[in-house]
Amino acid sequence: MSNLDLVEEIHEPLNAIKPMELYVFVDPLNPQCWEMQGVIRKLQIEYGHYFSMRIVLSTQIFNLNKTVLSANIDTDNLTHPVLPSVAIKAAELQGKRSGNRFLHKLQEHLFLQSKDVSSYNVLLEIAEEANLDQEEFKTDFHSVHTAKAFQCDLKITREMEINEVPSIVFFNECIEDEGVKVSGLYSYDVYQTILQEMMGEESLNRQTPPSLDDLFTKYSTMATREIASIYNISEQTAECELKKKVLQQKIERICMSKETIWKVK
């Protein structure tokens, strides 16, 4: 039996009070924001009981073309760089988890499959894969509520003077204290240290990661390096464990040019 099989997931108590809040600023079309997800996932797994998190879209397009959101136009062949961000906000209207799931699927299509995610038709495919209500998604995509939600994200981006993505702003429960802004992408240790310093504790209670099966239930697609980081093992050890899951027909292996991806079947 492997060490991974011995790992059990620790669940947070319901309605747990979290003393920290993280604002994570991303552009869904930015490759570094895709790389950031591995850091965020590990941070959530180990220290998610300390913080809540808000994803803020910081797409570098500040003037929404109203015709893009019009319910009266033919959307069959519609393509526009702002559409992915609009679609993410539309997905969020079906719940925070739905929005996060849609964002991840969108990035998979863009960075792993080289799909044109600025196409409305491709976004509909992604919504279906993310198990969203299709009719509700289409309606919300053209909704004024979606446009306002996206504009609100852009306003927050400007007010917090975010000039680079990805960026994370850490806030603690003391409203008098200013947030700590980290612009750009850094190693996991940097974010861990900031969280610890803002909590004012010598050491934080690090939670044990879930089993590999449970991890794939939570995240349907992961890279070898990401899994190795979560379990603090070598990539070779991680790949050995993952191959066992392939033989059990639980996951499949996707070899990309830069890294290996593992996906739930």
Side-chain angles (χ1 to χ4, degrees):
M1 182 178 290
S2 70
N3 290 335
L4 296 183
D5 292 326
L6 294 173
V7 175
E8 296 182 355
E9 183 175 7
I10 299 177
H11 297 280
E12 306 177 28
L14 293 175
N15 301 319
I17 297 175
K18 299 183 179 183
M20 298 285 299
E21 185 173 17
L22 273 57
Y23 278 61
V24 182
F25 294 84
V26 301
D27 180 341
L29 307 185
N30 184 300
Q32 281 201 319
C33 293
W34 166 251
E35 292 181 33
M36 167 70 83
Q37 82 166 356
V39 172
I40 293 297
R41 284 177 172 179
K42 185 173 182 178
L43 207 59
Q44 286 181 308
I45 288 168
E46 293 190 339
Y47 301 111
H49 50 298
Y50 286 112
F51 66 86
S52 58
M53 185 179 70
R54 175 173 177 175
I55 299 293
V56 183
L57 299 181
S58 303
T59 307
Q60 298 303 305
I61 300 172
F62 293 93
N63 295 312
L64 277 178
N65 184 343
K66 292 183 180 180
T67 62
V68 169
L69 303 177
S70 171
N72 299 319
I73 63 171
D74 178 15
T75 55
D76 287 346
N77 299 309
L78 182 61
T79 300
H80 193 285
V82 80
L83 295 191
S85 293
V86 174
I88 293 166
K89 302 313 291 186
E92 286 180 356
L93 292 180
Q94 296 189 36
K96 184 178 179 180
R97 289 184 180 179
S98 295
N100 290 339
R101 190 165 62 246
F102 182 88
L103 170 59
H104 179 63
K105 287 289 183 184
L106 184 149
Q107 291 178 313
E108 280 185 18
H109 277 67
L110 174 61
F111 297 112
L112 301 184
Q113 302 177 34
S114 299
K115 292 282 190 71
D116 181 10
V117 297
S118 64
S119 164
Y120 180 73
N121 286 334
V122 172
L123 292 170
L124 291 181
E125 294 175 12
I126 295 170
E128 184 175 3
E129 284 191 29
N131 298 319
L132 300 184
D133 183 302
Q134 288 287 290
E135 294 307 313
E136 187 177 341
F137 176 78
K138 291 177 184 177
T139 300
D140 290 337
F141 185 88
H142 300 288
S143 167
V144 65
H145 300 295
T146 295
K148 286 182 177 179
F150 179 41
Q151 289 167 340
C152 179
D153 277 14
L154 296 181
K155 181 181 179 182
I156 293 172
T157 299
R158 291 192 297 270
E159 289 179 345
M160 292 195 183
E161 300 179 348
I162 302 299
N163 300 312
E164 182 180 359
V165 290
S167 290
I168 300 181
V169 181
F170 293 75
F171 292 99
N172 60 26
E173 57 189 345
C174 183
I175 60 175
E176 289 82 10
D177 292 348
E178 291 187 4
V180 173
K181 179 167 64 176
V182 184
S183 300
L185 178 62
Y186 295 89
S187 66
Y188 178 77
D189 293 344
V190 172
Y191 304 101
Q192 183 185 33
T193 299
I194 292 171
L195 187 66
Q196 181 173 319
E197 289 179 352
M198 292 198 70
M199 286 293 298
E201 299 182 14
E202 291 186 5
S203 63
L204 298 179
N205 177 25
R206 181 171 65 87
Q207 297 207 85
T208 307
S211 68
L212 195 53
D213 285 338
D214 286 341
L215 191 67
F216 272 102
T217 299
K218 187 174 180 63
Y219 307 118
S220 62
T221 306
M222 287 178 287
T224 306
R225 58 177 173 77
E226 186 178 358
I227 294 166
S229 174
I230 288 172
Y231 292 106
N232 294 312
I233 56 178
S234 68
E235 290 192 23
Q236 291 80 5
T237 301
E239 186 161 320
C240 181
E241 295 296 331
L242 290 159
K243 284 179 178 177
K244 293 177 185 178
K245 300 300 178 183
V246 172
L247 292 174
Q248 295 169 4
Q249 298 187 341
K250 292 184 176 181
I251 62 175
E252 58 182 324
R253 181 176 186 168
I254 304 172
C255 294
M256 310 300 295
S257 59
K258 295 183 179 180
E259 61 184 352
T260 301
I261 302 296
W262 308 83
K263 183 177 182 180
V264 173
K265 277 195 169 184

